[in-house]
Amino acid sequence: GQQLNQSPQSMFIQEGEDVSMNCTSSSIFNTWLWYKQDPGEGPVLLIALYKAGELTSNGRLTAQFGITRKDSFLNISASIPSDVGIYFCHHHSGGSNYKLTFGKGTLLTVNP
Amino acid sequence: GAGVSQTPSNKVTEKGKYVELRCDPISGHTALYWYRQSLGQGPEFLIYFQGTGAADDSGLPNDRFFAVRPEGSVSTLKIQRTERGDSAVYLCASSSITAGDSSNTGELFFGEGSRLTVL
């Protein structure tokens, strides 16, 4: 599968701070998806983006689909302890021969 | 239950043994995926089923790995002659997408995974 570059690899923040992470690729995609994985659990979808330039919010989460279709960012505002986990970006390119590829994840630690 | 169910949740085996991991997807989901996740890594694609057939098995690392979905619902991932490097969490996911449908959303619903430890 194609590789996604996700950064930062890890973040240590204080409760209440805002967080930003991003994902880039050398290829263009039709969909960007952001998942969160809690320890011992499978990833759960947080937010999905379907159009270049799209900006979507879900509570304290905001994500954007880059205009070039090669990148996306995820922002978390006013972090809380339960935001701790690994955040993965994910995509597929549509059609009948797509590969579903995940980034390596951003490990978020929130200090109360 | 309403979610994806995976069993066993934990499996410890000895090198060289045979292992089966089971996935029960969300009812009605035609697409089923197996991923492998090593510590500190994102899920790595193994195989994708659309209905009963393996639409894409290009992620299987070698011929010791095999997966079936005989009735288009439950799937079993089979690993022969296990090696220590096979130790990982094996995640199963399902979705309602259809291959070739450009309108699909791509959302995957994951199980909690099966943690395999090969001693």
Side-chain angles (χ1 to χ4, degrees), chain A residues 31 33 35 37 40-43 45 50 88 90 92 95-96 98-100 102-104, chain B residues 33 35 37 41-43 45 48 56 58 91 97 100 104-108 110-112:
Chain A
T31 305
L33 304 161
Y35 286 82
Q37 186 175 27
E41 305 286 331
L45 181 68
Y50 303 116
F88 293 103
H90 184 217
H92 74 86
S96 60
Y98 55 83
K99 299 281 187 188
L100 298 187
F102 283 85
K104 291 188 175 182
Chain B
Y33 303 83
Y35 285 84
Q37 187 176 24
Q41 301 292 319
F45 171 78
Y48 155 56
D56 186 346
S58 61
L91 291 166
I97 64 174
N104 72 69
T105 64
E107 179 178 1
L108 302 178
F110 284 87
E112 295 185 347

Side-chain angles (χ1 to χ4, degrees), chain B:
Chain B
V4 176
S5 176
Q6 288 188 248
T7 55
S9 55
N10 275 288
K11 176 70 177 179
V12 180
T13 191
E14 293 180 342
K15 181 174 178 291
K17 299 292 187 181
Y18 170 79
V19 166
E20 287 191 354
L21 306 176
R22 174 190 166 106
C23 174
D24 197 344
I26 292 173
S27 177
H29 278 187
T30 58
L32 185 147
Y33 303 83
W34 283 99
Y35 285 84
R36 178 168 69 176
Q37 187 176 24
S38 300
L39 191 65
Q41 301 292 319
E44 173 193 1
F45 171 78
L46 295 178
I47 187 169
Y48 155 56
F49 286 92
Q50 184 59 243
T52 60
D56 186 346
D57 66 357
S58 61
L60 295 177
N62 52 60
D63 62 5
R64 295 187 297 105
F65 288 74
F66 189 70
V68 295
R69 195 186 185 197
E71 297 179 355
S73 178
V74 171
S75 176
T76 305
L77 178 66
K78 308 180 180 190
I79 310 173
Q80 298 178 321
R81 305 182 303 281
T82 52
E83 300 177 356
R84 292 192 179 87
D86 298 336
S87 296
V89 175
Y90 289 82
L91 291 166
C92 176
S94 70
S95 77
S96 60
I97 64 174
T98 300
D101 180 0
S102 61
S103 67
N104 72 69
T105 64
E107 179 178 1
L108 302 178
F109 296 84
F110 284 87
E112 295 185 347
S114 293
R115 180 176 296 280
L116 174 66
T117 303
V118 182
L119 302 176

Side-chain angles (χ1 to χ4, degrees), chain A residues 55-70:
Chain A
L55 182 70
T56 297
S57 294
N58 180 6
R60 295 179 297 106
L61 306 178
T62 302
Q64 184 156 30
F65 193 150
I67 195 70
T68 64
R69 295 167 64 193
K70 294 183 178 182

